[in-house]
Amino acid sequence: MKKIIAAVTGIVLGSILFILGTVFSPHALVALAAENPFGVKQSQYVTGVWGDNNDGEQIVIALYNNGKQDIAYITDGKVSFYDVYTVTPTTVDGAVNAQRFDVGGAKFTYCEVGKEQYIIGDDGDIYAVENLSAYEAEQIRQAF
């Protein structure tokens, strides 16, 4: 647990730059400042995941709702941002509960295969993820 908290904190304060640079367009990143103009500190934590890919690159995604809009936080430790998100059902061969996310123009797919959870970037990178605890999400929220 300490390792997870340390990793999340390090990620929040300090690996999605590569992902964001390859998966997400640079134009979308310019518009997505690392600021928190969405009132996340007063929001309800919905869910979140964290994990890494085979290259050791990490990702953290936390979803919140401030009563007016759905807000997501994404980081790789180098680039972090909050923005509104939408989610739509999709299909992924061999997977269940597949959902397509659009976080301020940054798009990816979440799905489950058996008991495992994955984030699939548009560039084909696959991240094995697990649930983020409410405590870890609160640490992220308090960092901003």
Side-chain angles (χ1 to χ4, degrees):
M1 183 59 133
K2 288 181 182 180
K3 183 178 176 184
I4 293 171
I5 293 170
V8 169
T9 302
I11 290 169
V12 170
L13 299 175
S15 281
I16 297 192
L17 179 58
F18 175 76
I19 299 165
L20 293 175
T22 59
V23 174
F24 311 127
S25 75
H27 301 301
L29 291 179
V30 172
L32 302 172
E35 297 178 12
N36 176 7
F38 299 102
V40 171
K41 286 193 179 189
Q42 297 78 32
S43 66
Q44 173 83 25
Y45 171 63
V46 177
T47 191
V49 295
W50 72 276
D52 54 16
N53 65 13
N54 286 339
D55 296 328
E57 297 163 339
Q58 296 184 337
I59 188 169
V60 175
I61 301 169
L63 306 179
Y64 303 92
N65 182 294
N66 67 5
K68 297 179 183 176
Q69 57 193 178
D70 294 321
I71 304 158
Y73 170 78
I74 298 179
T75 188
D76 72 348
K78 298 174 186 170
V79 174
S80 304
F81 66 90
Y82 284 95
D83 210 326
V84 295
Y85 74 91
T86 58
V87 60
T88 56
T90 190
T91 58
V92 174
D93 287 343
V96 297
N97 194 22
Q99 301 173 359
R100 182 78 175 155
F101 283 81
D102 182 340
V103 182
K107 299 176 182 177
F108 58 89
T109 300
Y110 166 86
C111 65
E112 299 170 3
V113 178
K115 293 184 179 183
E116 304 296 323
Q117 303 172 76
Y118 299 95
I119 296 290
I120 305 169
D122 283 352
D123 66 349
D125 269 350
I126 300 173
Y127 295 82
V129 296
E130 56 188 71
N131 291 330
L132 193 65
S133 73
Y135 175 79
E136 294 160 340
E138 184 61 25
Q139 299 305 304
I140 292 169
R141 184 182 357 222
Q142 294 305 315
F144 289 93

